[in-house]
Amino acid sequence: MSKENIVFDYDKEAGLSHCFIEYNGIYCDGQAKCHPDDMDFESERVGMTIAESRANIKVLMFMRDYEVKPQLKILNHLYSNIKTSKHYNPNSYEAKMIRSQIRAIEKELATINNALADERKFLKDYTEGKEKLYQKLRAKNR
C-alpha cells in the first residue's frame, strides 16, 4: 500500500487523535478518542496507533471497493463477452492474457482482504491488550 502522505494530529485537551492518509489523491482518516475512564493513562502514542490503524483500514477498503473490484468486474465482463463470440478460441493469446489478468487481480483482491483482516485483528488485539494493561496497572495502584 503506497501512502503518499500521512499527517497526525493530537488534541491533548480533548483526548483526540487523528491520522490522515493520502492515497492516490484520496484522503482517508482515522480517529481515536480517549475513553473518560482511561484519562489517567492517556497517551498520544496509543491514540495515534489506533487512529493510524483505522485510517489504514479505510485505505484498504478504498483499494478493494473502488480500484480492484471494479477492475475485476470489467475484465470478467469482457471475458464473458468474448466467450460468446462464435470465433472464441480459449487457446488464443488474447483469451489467455485476459484469464491471466483476472487471476492476478483475484490474487490482489485476496491479498487486500487478508491485509484488511490482519489490520482489523491488530486493532482489536491492540485495544484489548491496552485495556488489560490498564486494568493491571489500576489493580497494582490500589
Side-chain angles (χ1 to χ4, degrees):
M1 168 173 36
S2 171
K3 297 179 233 174
E4 296 149 10
N5 194 11
I6 301 176
V7 177
F8 292 100
D9 181 49
Y10 178 65
D11 182 348
K12 183 169 178 55
E13 291 174 12
L16 191 60
S17 301
H18 274 95
C19 176
F20 301 93
I21 298 176
E22 180 184 359
Y23 169 78
N24 287 348
I26 301 297
Y27 289 91
C28 297
D29 72 318
Q31 67 177 356
K33 181 158 178 56
C34 186
H35 192 278
D37 294 344
D38 294 339
M39 291 303 276
D40 52 337
F41 293 112
E42 180 185 13
S43 165
E44 179 177 355
R45 184 176 187 153
V46 169
M48 294 301 180
T49 300
I50 293 169
E52 183 177 13
S53 182
R54 289 177 175 160
N56 283 333
I57 288 169
K58 288 183 180 179
V59 169
L60 288 166
M61 289 172 60
F62 175 84
M63 291 170 65
R64 180 193 67 193
D65 297 340
Y66 295 101
E67 293 180 347
V68 178
K69 281 185 174 181
Q71 289 175 5
L72 185 58
K73 183 178 179 180
I74 290 168
L75 281 175
N76 278 325
H77 182 72
L78 175 64
Y79 190 64
S80 175
N81 285 341
I82 289 172
K83 285 186 353 182
T84 62
S85 168
K86 64 181 177 179
H87 301 291
Y88 172 68
N89 177 359
N91 296 319
S92 71
Y93 172 79
E94 293 80 6
K96 288 179 180 180
M97 286 306 297
I98 291 173
R99 286 193 309 268
S100 173
Q101 286 299 310
I102 289 171
R103 283 191 302 274
I105 292 174
E106 287 172 341
K107 185 176 179 181
E108 184 177 357
L109 181 59
T111 300
I112 290 171
N113 284 332
N114 288 336
L116 195 51
D118 290 346
E119 191 68 36
R120 286 179 173 147
K121 183 178 179 338
F122 165 79
L123 182 59
K124 181 179 182 276
D125 291 347
Y126 186 82
T127 55
E128 287 175 357
K130 170 192 69 73
E131 187 56 36
K132 286 178 185 175
L133 174 66
Y134 290 175
Q135 288 174 0
K136 281 183 183 179
L137 291 172
R138 284 186 185 108
K140 199 180 244 189
N141 290 335
R142 289 185 187 148

